[in-house]
């Protein structure tokens, strides 16, 4: 197998590698995210191995103030745009895909009351979430027919379970949804994570995104007060209410981008500092092998292109969000197609990058201790929740016919 | 082979296809370029078949005022940025790769005096070029050791030939270069295209970029006055003087992007209006086949990502150009790497798109009359002038080591 | 663009390139095909440019005896297996895709009477075809609803037209099919190519497969005697009768393989003898650039793998054919899936190889005179007649469920 | 995330899936390997998780008689060809990459005495190995400069360590190599695994091939008798002695093929039995989605083509081995190129298949319990030991120039 050269040939001092994936540090929130990411990167491999709850990282996120990023300033948040949150998500995912995931999904729940509830509910939730520096978990994915509620006076009693409840294992508050026994309609609500009758199983067994706690939550006679239920006829039929899949896809795609960037930068450092030149390469440093240069060149270029597509999609989301409940169906459709394209592309490129890095690091890089395979495991796991095939068809259909995807789960 | 259905099933009225590749029409120059492109598209297939000289298109370009786009306003031009010229190049290439090529390369020669000559020469050339609405041909590619000059008093007598002299067949003025018999140095100059002793062979036989006139020019005792020679010691060693390859690569990559966009839009229209559904597809309109939607979705996404990379590279060039002779080596290097990545990626994506379109148009689309293969022939021909392999290595090397490519031809 | 080095650096004498694509010359028919291919290769580029009728090549094929290869020995042929005919097709396609096409499709018509007619008709046709050394053209593609017949005593009068009638422009005899005005059934027949009322338009305008004459044949009151009509109730429902698509796909896929091999070998010779090393390569011979070696290595490997798949499919066809009218539905299905996989893969690999060769030949290889683009144009044109998408689905479906494609046109 | 449909829609009874990857059961050794593989598959995921020593599997292999497969019959083995051992390796790797690895590498050591020692040594080792039903571990990889020996009378005393000593943790006997302190030559020997001074660290930490024990062996004053040293001047300069890299690459490539086949078949069963149709698919069974059919169709086709290339390479190795010490340099070279191509292709296809299977199984397939990611982890780890880049260059170089790779480690 790989030879041990008699002595190592450290790379000569160079200007320092090119940094095409650095964050815009003029934005203080992004600078803070980058700073956290640096800390999280140190033991990300160990956290991946351990699974379970990322409590130190959660504490750091709470201290950082980044959890209130998207809450309007008048309610105690920073009033930032989605694109900032998405780039912070990306930055965190460069170090640790699980943390990026938890952070990004948190905002889906933060906004649940705004999207589905009354203006008063939204304000109340924003205010309390900001004041309490809540971390949100997601029990609201709209498809699972495993959780049911029946009315009982001012309360609804909810029984069953929810799968894929990312973040619930460390959440302060939860956004949830169930099917009403009578009307068969889907009901949305927000409740504290310590509500009686809830069991957060913390049984996530994915081979990637190991600390996201995306397992089950069991409901046994959980009582939800009608003031916690999100329903506001005044916004019925508003396209903005159907923008959930685009928020989710935006978070996902930026985790892919962050994972790809993180994999490349991590691999680059290993290649520079540790990899040895191939025995028949004729070069003294691995970085001087035209093969190694070409592979990095290809990957950097692809990841950069995917990043620009992600940036464009984030701007599209900002623009759609800024339209608020005035958002039109066509605008919603155009936003959906832009985000779908960026999402599918990011996943494809991230899968490629996270697998190919090993070829340019060499045989000794493939150990459990180094844990570089977590990048691929994370992306491979997470890309499955929203197949590129269907999103890509929607992009093609819109290009061909001008018809946008019907608003629905995942599209 | 493909069946003839008894009657065609025209696509039902739809909102109109999505337009991810439209030009920014708020820029009047780009609007004009788009308008010209529309006209050129009508008989682009016929022009491709004919080869030779695109005289009607040249006349239209002259009338449009677009030839003076990059000449400073104080000398009679529009003083636009490179990114505008590159996007106009892209727009023209959507209709006709040859015209995009001629138009973009024209500016390399327009600026030859600025880059290599004295400030006075630059001003003089700018002024006369604007006043005369000159079209420039390129005899200055720096590598060919086939053209030699010897001093004869105030004149240099130049003999030999130049290959790949794009645009010379329809040029008013030429930028040229030769090797000095004594000093062995490369000498640059600008001369009228009708100078005695010049024979513009118009013998280009490429299977793509058919009207670019990229054949030979023969020199028999051509006399060049010393005032026409571009030399200015005051700028010796300035990085800006080595930016020629980046200008050229920027033009090339935008021709690739334009060709890819043009191929996709042309194919899309054919698929909508003419293609029939596959006999086993179970759909009544070809655009409803999930296969067709997926392939278009993939191609649109890839071409869009490559376009964003091209836009980023164009902005990098604007920034570098704006620095003028103050441009530093590191800035030149970073610009070169950004453009190299965009160029290599654009070529790869354009080759893929221009070949794959046929799969979604069907067997009847592959005729000489329709001439849709010109997109692939154009890109295939033009991508060979600057191998992606070496540019990609340079991108990887900079990522790994921070070392930028040595300024030189093609890099 | 590409530099002219001061002097060329011819490749040093080497053992001679490796030959992974040579034919098995121990089979005299294949040796003959290879010999013909060598001759045809000389002016294949010129023939491609000219289009029209490949009369000299037809004469050579007639002289070679290869036209009767699949006719049983008892009827005057060589009684060879399909795999031999397919490898001869492949060999001819290495030199000239049109000739491979005409030669392979010829056998579809040779066997039309065997597959659809009575044993007596088959014997009669075999005998006369062998004795007359007939070349067959194909007017029998089963889908076109553009040709109709009405009974008139012992005759049927046929009117309309056929598209995609490969080989008709140089055929002695034609296999044809039309729709019966009354029964709406498809009727098959064989007639001489000079029958009154037939106009062979020779109007093929494909940008590839230029000499295949795949244009229209017009029928004006063409009278077909009932003895020429192929119908034999004794074989009704026999799976062998539905094997036509597999014969056609087998011919097609071997044209793809031959085209890919021909492209690679042609490019290799150009790279060895003519290409110059890239200016920044640091090598004196283009073949010593690791880039060039890698690209050839990849293409050779892919084309070799596709060739083995084609060989396996040819053996499967031999086995199915040997079963004759005893062929079971399951055997037919397994054969269909094996051939479908080989066909789709051959097309994909051939498209890739015929486009990528230019990257390793360089800018000067892309001329009309050299005509190397004909390989891509041929494959691009021909792969459209039978989309890989649907064949690939059938392969996947059989792998997943064990269900074979319903016998039908193209599958 | 993925919806829970109200009830599952089990696939209807079908003929049973197509089996393109079944072993040739007419060979009793392969039938036995397939039988073992079936057993090993049951808890392969658990073994992957556990790592360490595959003792039950080793016992089963010993009972099966497959360990003596390549020992000549006259010395107590089955005298089979390499292709049989390689196909048995492939079959075992379908179930468990580690077991395939251990089994295939075992034969490299079995033959060490034959390749490097005297005929008498070879016979002695063959006889004792067969009689003792030894399992061999590999300490002989030729590159590591970490193990040194000094002569001490009839003994050599060896000190240092060996990395990547696959199989040593469960071996009866070891093939080893070191550098002689004086001559600096590499010395080869075979010794029992329980020799004094040896510490088999069993510290392998690869994220793939988890039970191969490819960690370190430490040597402290290990005494090797001169009768154990393999040296035979009579075979000096014989090309067969340089065939080690081809044996190793052949084993590797068949592990890749087996892993790819195993991944596909495992995924297929999961897709049939467990996967749910995508919510927007419009089909009731996941296997009826054209997307799923296409992806399986592509993967099956690619893996089948790679398998045929592997079969061809195995036949080439059989032919070379049969030539014995008469093998010529050119024959060795041609064999090396054939195997190199098959190896590089197998690795590429296996990486693709083992990653893509998840897309057609869905989100619930990506758990640690199911352990389907082991296929990718195994292939990703193992492909790093012999970069495809350099093998591919060698294939291209031979195609271009006819020059075969210089016999050396890895080539």
């Amino acid at each position: 197998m790989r030879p041990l050269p008699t002595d190592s040939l450290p790379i000569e001092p160079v200007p320092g590698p090119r940094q095409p994936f650095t964050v815009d540090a003029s934005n203080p929130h992004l600078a803070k995210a980058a700073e956290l990411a640096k800390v999280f990167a140190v033991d990300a491999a160990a956290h991946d191995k351990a699974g379970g709850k990322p409590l130190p990282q959660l504490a750091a996120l709470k201290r950082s103030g980044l959890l209130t990023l998207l809450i309007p300033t008048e309610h105690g948040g920073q009033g930032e745009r989605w694109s900032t949150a998405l780039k912070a998500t990306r930055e965190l995912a460069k170090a640790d895909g699980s943390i990026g995931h938890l952070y990004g999904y948190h905002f889906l729940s933060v906004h649940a009351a705004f999207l589905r509830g009354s203006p008063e509910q939204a304000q109340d939730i924003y205010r309390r979430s900001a004041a309490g520096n809540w971390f949100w978990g997601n029990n609201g994915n709209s498809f699972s027919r495993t959780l049911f509620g029946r009315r009982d006076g001012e309360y609804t009693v909810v029984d069953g379970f929810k799968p894929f409840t990312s973040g619930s294992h460390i959440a302060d508050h939860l956004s949830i949804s169930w099917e009403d026994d009578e009307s068969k309609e889907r009901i949305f609500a927000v409740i504290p994570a310590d509500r009686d009758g809830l069991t957060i199983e913390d049984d996530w067994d994915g081979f990637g995104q190991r600390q996201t706690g995306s397992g089950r939550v069991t409901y046994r006679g959980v009582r939800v007060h009608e003031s916690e239920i999100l329903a506001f006829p005044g916004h019925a039929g508003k396209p903005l209410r159907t923008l959930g899949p685009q928020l989710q896809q935006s978070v996902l795609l930026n985790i892919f981008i962050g994972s790809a960037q993180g994999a490349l930068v991590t691999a680059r450092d290993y290649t520079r500092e540790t990899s040895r030149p191939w025995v028949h390469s004729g070069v003294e440093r691995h970085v001087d092998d035209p093969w190694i240069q070409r592979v990095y060149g290809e990957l950097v270029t692809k990841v950069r292109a995917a990043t620009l597509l992600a940036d464009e999609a984030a701007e599209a989301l900002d623009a759609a969000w800024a339209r608020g409940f005035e958002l039109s169906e066509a605008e919603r459709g155009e936003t959906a197609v832009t985000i779908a394209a960026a999402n599918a592309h990011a996943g494809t490129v991230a899968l490629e990058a996270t697998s190919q890095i090993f070829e340019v690091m060499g045989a000794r890089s493939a150990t459990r201790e180094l844990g570089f395979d977590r990048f691929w495991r994370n992306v491979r796991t997470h890309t499955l929740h929203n197949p590129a095939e269907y999103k890509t068809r929607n992009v093609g259909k819109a290009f061909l016919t001008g018809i946008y995807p019907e608003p629905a789960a995942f599209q």
Side-chain angles (χ1 to χ4, degrees), chain A:
Chain A
M1 305 183 180
R2 273 299 298 278
L4 273 179
T6 39
D7 49 12
S8 66
L9 289 148
I11 192 165
E12 279 168 40
V14 287
R18 194 172 167 247
Q19 306 289 1
F21 304 129
T22 47
V23 76
D24 172 14
S26 72
N27 181 320
H29 308 297
L30 296 180
K32 203 172 293 177
E35 197 185 303
L36 281 181
K38 220 170 186 172
V39 176
F40 294 166
V42 174
D43 52 6
H47 280 289
D48 165 73
K49 212 178 277 185
K53 301 183 182 180
L55 296 177
Q57 299 101 308
L58 177 65
L61 278 170
K62 289 208 166 188
R63 281 193 302 276
S64 74
L66 285 171
L67 290 181
T68 54
L69 196 67
L70 294 192
I71 295 177
T73 48
E74 60 267 35
H75 303 310
Q78 288 92 312
E80 272 289 334
R81 290 175 302 172
W82 267 103
S83 58
T84 307
L86 294 172
K87 284 175 187 170
T89 296
R90 189 193 293 176
E91 200 59 23
L92 294 170
K94 278 168 75 171
D96 188 324
S98 289
I99 304 303
H101 180 145
L102 292 167
Y103 181 71
Y105 269 66
H106 157 79
F107 289 112
L108 304 187
S109 295
V110 163
H111 285 316
F114 170 70
L115 284 178
R116 304 213 165 255
S118 66
E120 293 70 30
Q121 283 180 312
Q123 290 168 28
D124 176 60
I125 284 293
Y126 280 148
R127 214 157 36 220
R128 289 198 291 144
S129 186
N133 203 12
W134 290 349
F135 178 79
W136 286 79
N138 178 12
N139 276 223
N141 64 74
S142 57
F143 260 86
S144 182
R145 297 199 61 234
T146 55
L147 191 58
F148 303 91
R150 60 181 167 78
R151 297 301 302 250
D152 180 14
E154 284 181 5
Y155 288 89
T156 299
V157 182
V158 182
D159 280 281
F161 73 91
K162 272 281 174 176
F164 293 123
T165 61
S166 302
S168 300
H169 63 332
I170 55 168
D172 302 302
H173 231 72
L174 301 176
S175 68
I176 70 175
S177 75
W178 64 82
E179 184 178 306
D180 184 79
D181 268 356
E182 274 177 45
S183 70
K184 306 302 177 197
E185 278 177 10
R186 185 146 297 278
I187 313 296
F188 295 84
V190 287
I191 59 173
D194 59 0
R195 175 67 44 93
D196 278 357
L198 278 181
T199 310
I200 288 149
E201 309 284 1
D202 199 14
D203 60 350
W204 171 241
D205 186 45
F207 62 63
Q209 301 292 85
R210 301 265 305 122
Q211 293 203 313
T212 57
S214 303
R216 288 189 177 202
V217 173
T218 310
Y219 291 67
R220 291 191 189 84
V222 171
R223 294 172 72 80
V224 180
H225 190 264
E226 66 184 19
S227 67
E228 296 172 318
I229 290 178
L230 306 171
F232 182 60
H235 289 160
K238 295 292 190 188
L240 188 71
R241 296 191 65 187
T242 67
L243 209 61
Q246 282 64 53
L247 303 180
Q248 186 192 29
Q249 282 182 35
S250 294
V251 171
L252 276 162
L253 80 90
N254 280 288
I255 298 168
F256 304 158
I257 295 289
S259 298
Q261 292 184 353
L264 268 188
V265 169
T266 304
R268 187 258 306 278
D269 292 346
Y270 184 92
T271 296
R272 282 169 56 91
E273 292 155 20
T274 309
S275 297
R276 299 160 183 177
W278 181 245
V279 63
H280 299 302
S281 67
V283 298
E284 297 201 338
R285 308 184 311 176
H286 201 43
V287 297
D288 293 328
D289 190 324
W291 161 43
I292 299 306
Q293 295 179 353
R294 183 192 81 244
V295 174
Y296 272 107
E298 283 175 354
L299 293 178
V300 167
T301 301
K302 285 178 185 175
V303 173
R304 182 75 197 143
T307 301
L308 293 172
L309 212 51
D311 288 349
E312 182 180 58
E315 282 166 32
L317 183 60
D318 281 349
W321 194 256
R323 299 273 294 124
F325 288 99
E326 298 309 306
L327 185 75
S328 72
E329 282 185 26
E331 288 166 342
R332 193 269 181 202
E334 183 63 22
T335 307
V337 169
T338 301
I339 291 169
N343 181 303
H345 197 61
T348 303
V349 168
L351 281 169
E352 190 176 338
T354 56
S355 181
Q356 254 198 289
I357 50 171
F358 293 97
E359 290 163 32
V360 282
M361 290 194 287
R364 285 163 203 273
S365 69
T367 67
R368 280 156 62 92
E369 192 189 352
L370 292 168
F372 294 148
D373 58 324
R374 72 185 190 276
F375 294 107
W376 177 85
R377 283 187 284 104
N378 286 343
V379 176
R380 182 65 291 183
T381 299
H382 218 179
T383 44
L384 303 175
H385 285 273
N386 213 333
E389 170 81 12
Y390 283 85
K391 287 195 291 287
T392 304
R393 287 187 197 168
N394 286 342
V395 175
K397 184 180 177 182
F399 181 66
L400 284 163
T401 67
I403 298 173
Y404 295 120
E406 197 74 29
F410 307 110
Q411 70 182 22

